[in-house]
Amino acid sequence: MNTNEQDRRRFTRINFDAECEVHYSGGAIVMQLIDISLRGVLLQFNHPLALDIGGEAEINIYLANDVLIRMKTQLNYAEPPNYGFFVKEIDLDSMSHLRRLLELNLGDEALLERELEQMVLD
């Protein structure tokens, strides 16, 4: 079982519609956010992505009120038009925004706390 499949079981994904910028060695493109969790994002792009599995990218997700979630990621899944990225690093401000986003959409603070604890244990 790969890391992405394990994360799906341990980290709740929420559907969230937003555009995001993906910066990688081949340049920068705008992709559509499909869903997000504490450990990954699923993006959609209607063209082949010039990034191999394991390749790194910085993803910037812009939310309302100039809120930015910035994360360093690794491509784990590619079946065009869907691309799954594993979150390798996220700064404290971005993590706070992501936590709030998940909290608002999950509606279960206890579940979010368990997932945050699991993240620390990984």
Side-chain angles (χ1 to χ4, degrees):
M1 175 181 329
N2 67 34
T3 303
N4 198 27
E5 289 171 338
Q6 290 172 343
D7 284 343
R8 259 197 204 129
R9 291 188 183 144
R10 292 188 297 187
F11 297 98
T12 304
R13 295 180 167 274
I14 60 161
N15 293 329
F16 198 80
D17 183 30
E19 285 189 347
C20 54
E21 293 175 356
V22 179
H23 300 267
Y24 63 106
S25 60
I29 57 174
V30 174
M31 297 178 78
Q32 192 66 35
L33 177 65
I34 303 300
D35 67 37
I36 190 167
S37 75
L38 288 173
R39 294 301 261 172
V41 294
L42 180 64
L43 305 180
Q44 194 170 66
F45 188 61
N46 290 325
H47 306 285
L49 184 61
L51 184 65
D52 294 326
I53 298 293
E56 295 184 353
E58 181 176 290
I59 297 175
N60 297 327
I61 303 167
Y62 297 94
L63 305 175
N65 301 324
D66 297 324
V67 172
L68 170 65
I69 297 174
R70 177 175 298 179
M71 51 184 69
K72 292 183 181 180
T73 66
Q74 176 180 335
L75 182 64
N76 274 3
Y77 170 84
E79 279 193 25
N82 296 321
Y83 298 90
F85 291 84
F86 173 76
V87 177
K88 292 177 63 173
E89 289 180 36
I90 186 167
D91 64 68
L92 187 57
D93 285 340
S94 294
M95 185 60 173
S96 295
H97 295 311
L98 177 57
R99 178 188 172 137
R100 183 70 178 142
L101 176 70
L102 293 170
E103 191 174 61
L104 290 171
N105 285 278
L106 283 175
D108 184 349
E109 191 173 335
L111 174 60
L112 181 59
E113 290 301 322
R114 282 193 303 274
E115 291 186 5
L116 287 167
E117 287 175 14
Q118 183 62 46
M119 226 176 116
V120 171
L121 296 175
D122 284 350

